[in-house]
Amino acid sequence: MLKYALFEYIPKRFLHRASFEQQDVSRMILGFKDGRNVYSRWAARLFAKALAATDMSEVVIVCIPASTTAAHVRRWKRFSSELCRLTGAVNGFDRVQVSGSRKRAHVTGDYELCTNIKHYVHIDADWFRGKKVLVIDDIYTTGQSSSAFIDAMQAVGADVLGALFLGRTRLFRKADRY
């Protein structure tokens, strides 16, 4: 399955090692994660540009659920609507519901939490069955959240075409220097 990130994301604790351009991109990704309007539009335009050569009229855009209902709506509702308007894709936002919450794995370091999505996410199985789906998320670090969500989508009968990410986390070792 194709998984593709538009940018390299530098975590806050390593931003001092990044170029000015990488710092800007990482800050914009964080602004997007916070649900700020200007960054939602920025991300939607970038994804639309990346998908411009593809006929999206029969593809459902669905975003990997955030850790809480409020974060999910804040981050994805406006973005999904704008991206679907720009690409002609079908908006699957209302067909995936977050109930309850989970700890944020990138904060706790417990990535096992990401794979247990059935406890806090409801996917409208009847609606997704047989549909072509493109999964979108903000940051790809270990791939566990995206893999778990893709597996859940496939389990309800969706045909997941691939996954796009705004950024892929750049991990540093002590020897890494800019």
Side-chain angles (χ1 to χ4, degrees), residues 97-128:
Q97 302 293 319
V98 176
S99 58
S101 65
R102 67 172 168 83
K103 293 180 181 176
R104 295 177 295 169
H106 67 280
V107 173
T108 65
D110 187 358
Y111 287 93
E112 187 175 329
L113 296 168
C114 300
T115 61
N116 225 352
I117 66 167
K118 64 184 175 191
H119 297 295
Y120 75 99
V121 173
H122 171 72
I123 299 169
D124 186 342
D126 293 332
W127 193 82
F128 278 108

Side-chain angles (χ1 to χ4, degrees), residues 6-165:
L6 301 179
F7 295 105
E8 184 175 71
Y9 167 73
I10 311 295
K12 283 184 188 180
R13 67 185 179 274
F14 297 119
L15 276 179
H16 65 281
R17 296 185 183 186
S19 69
F20 290 124
E21 292 82 9
Q22 289 172 317
Q23 289 177 20
D24 284 345
V25 166
S26 292
R27 287 186 184 117
M28 288 188 284
I29 291 172
L30 290 173
F32 172 76
K33 285 179 72 66
D34 288 342
R36 296 183 189 152
N37 289 347
V38 66
Y39 298 116
S40 290
R41 288 190 301 272
W42 167 77
R45 285 191 308 265
L46 287 171
F47 279 113
K49 186 175 179 181
L51 296 168
T54 306
D55 177 12
M56 298 294 292
S57 61
E58 299 290 321
V59 177
V60 177
I61 298 288
V62 64
C63 302
I64 294 178
S67 57
T68 66
T69 302
H72 182 68
V73 170
R74 183 178 63 243
R75 184 177 307 155
W76 296 119
K77 187 172 185 172
R78 186 179 313 108
F79 166 82
S80 295
S81 177
E82 181 67 7
L83 179 58
C84 290
R85 184 187 69 75
L86 292 170
T87 63
V90 179
N91 191 347
F93 176 81
D94 290 329
R95 304 300 180 154
V96 175
Q97 302 293 319
V98 176
S99 58
S101 65
R102 67 172 168 83
K103 293 180 181 176
R104 295 177 295 169
H106 67 280
V107 173
T108 65
D110 187 358
Y111 287 93
E112 187 175 329
L113 296 168
C114 300
T115 61
N116 225 352
I117 66 167
K118 64 184 175 191
H119 297 295
Y120 75 99
V121 173
H122 171 72
I123 299 169
D124 186 342
D126 293 332
W127 193 82
F128 278 108
R129 191 170 295 114
K131 291 201 170 55
K132 295 177 184 173
V133 171
L134 177 63
V135 172
I136 293 184
D137 201 4
D138 47 17
I139 299 173
Y140 179 96
T141 301
T142 66
Q144 290 184 5
S145 295
S146 61
S147 293
F149 186 70
I150 289 167
D151 290 347
M153 291 300 295
Q154 289 173 330
V156 301
D159 177 15
V160 180
L161 304 173
L164 289 177
F165 302 87

